[in-house]
Amino acid sequence: MTRVDAWTWSVRLFKTRSAAASACRGGHVKINGATAKPAQPVVPGDEVRVWAGGRERIVEVARLVSKRVGAPAAAECYVDRSPPPPPKELFAAVPVRDRGAGRPTKRDRREIDRLRGQN
């Protein structure tokens, strides 16, 4: 058996082990539908749901690893059942101010708020 924080870090779902543990403590990792603590063990066949990077990853544990492995080896340790990420066209482009334009004026801030629907 392997800890869920170590396994999610080992198969490269998180960049660091501490980030994996923090996600577990924050309720962003679920095993078979139940919120997981960092030390909770995973076994082959478990469904692990991870909310990271703005999207949900749904993976089934295929093989246990406790040490971080390369990307090709990590891909063999789980079966990815995640929905495809949304297309980039759905995200609104961030408005870019001209370089050297300075801080937005009060009028600019009001227009930004109006565009965001805050007023």
Side-chain angles (χ1 to χ4, degrees):
M1 290 188 289
T2 305
R3 293 169 53 116
V4 68
D5 62 341
W7 186 81
T8 54
W9 168 72
S10 297
V11 297
R12 298 175 172 266
L13 295 176
F14 290 102
K15 288 186 178 184
T16 64
R17 174 122 182 235
S18 62
S22 296
C24 291
R25 283 191 295 273
H28 300 289
V29 178
K30 295 184 178 186
I31 299 176
N32 298 325
T35 304
K37 292 184 178 180
Q40 185 169 343
V42 292
V43 295
D46 282 349
E47 179 190 70
V48 178
R49 290 176 177 257
V50 175
W51 182 261
R55 64 177 266 212
E56 185 179 33
R57 301 280 311 267
I58 304 169
V59 296
E60 180 182 330
V61 179
R63 199 176 73 185
L64 295 179
V65 289
S66 57
K67 300 280 185 177
R68 193 161 170 98
V69 294
E76 296 172 0
C77 296
Y78 61 87
V79 179
D80 196 355
R81 301 194 192 289
S82 305
K88 292 185 179 182
E89 293 83 32
L90 292 180
F91 296 109
V94 178
V96 179
R97 292 181 57 83
D98 294 331
R99 187 168 176 88
R103 292 180 53 180
T105 63
K106 189 170 187 176
R107 180 179 176 193
D108 292 338
R109 287 195 309 270
R110 286 180 180 151
E111 289 176 5
I112 292 169
D113 288 344
R114 197 172 336 113
L115 286 173
R116 290 182 179 164
Q118 294 176 354
N119 202 6

